Amino acid sequence: MRIGVLGTGNMADALATHWVRAGHEVFVGGRDARRAERLAARLGGGTRHGNLDEAAGFGAVVLAALPYGAGRRSSRAYGPPWPGGSCWTAPIRWAPASGCSRTAALRRPPTG
């Protein structure tokens, strides 16, 4: 599965590590390009890196693991629906905005 990860902190690192080990394609997007690059290199397995926009549009699933404030700005910019299809948030002290849920994936209707 293609998974876009928004964020480069501990939660993003922990979940992306398991997804790469399980054989998923992961794209790490960060507000800081160097942190995203370092995390992708450490994860290995062909993990790609870039900015938040690229990660949000990458996969069938998007994980938003961003600090307070950044998550609200990002969710307004990307959705709903999120470009990749489904979105989960990691509980990092912010209430998910419309189109993103802590407890369930929200499926984007098929296009085309």
Side-chain angles (χ1 to χ4, degrees), residues 6 31 52 64-80 82 87 89-90 92-100 102:
L6 308 182
R31 295 174 297 150
L52 295 173
L66 298 166
Y68 185 84
R72 288 184 184 274
R73 285 189 302 272
S74 297
S75 62
R76 276 193 216 113
Y78 303 129
W82 284 66
C87 174
T89 62
I92 305 177
R93 296 184 36 222
W94 66 275
S98 176
C100 211
R102 285 187 182 169

Side-chain angles (χ1 to χ4, degrees), residues 25-43:
E25 284 183 72
V26 174
F27 190 110
V28 176
R31 295 174 297 150
D32 179 331
R34 299 225 352 106
R35 283 189 71 174
E37 182 179 11
R38 285 194 305 265
L39 177 55
R42 193 187 65 68
L43 292 171

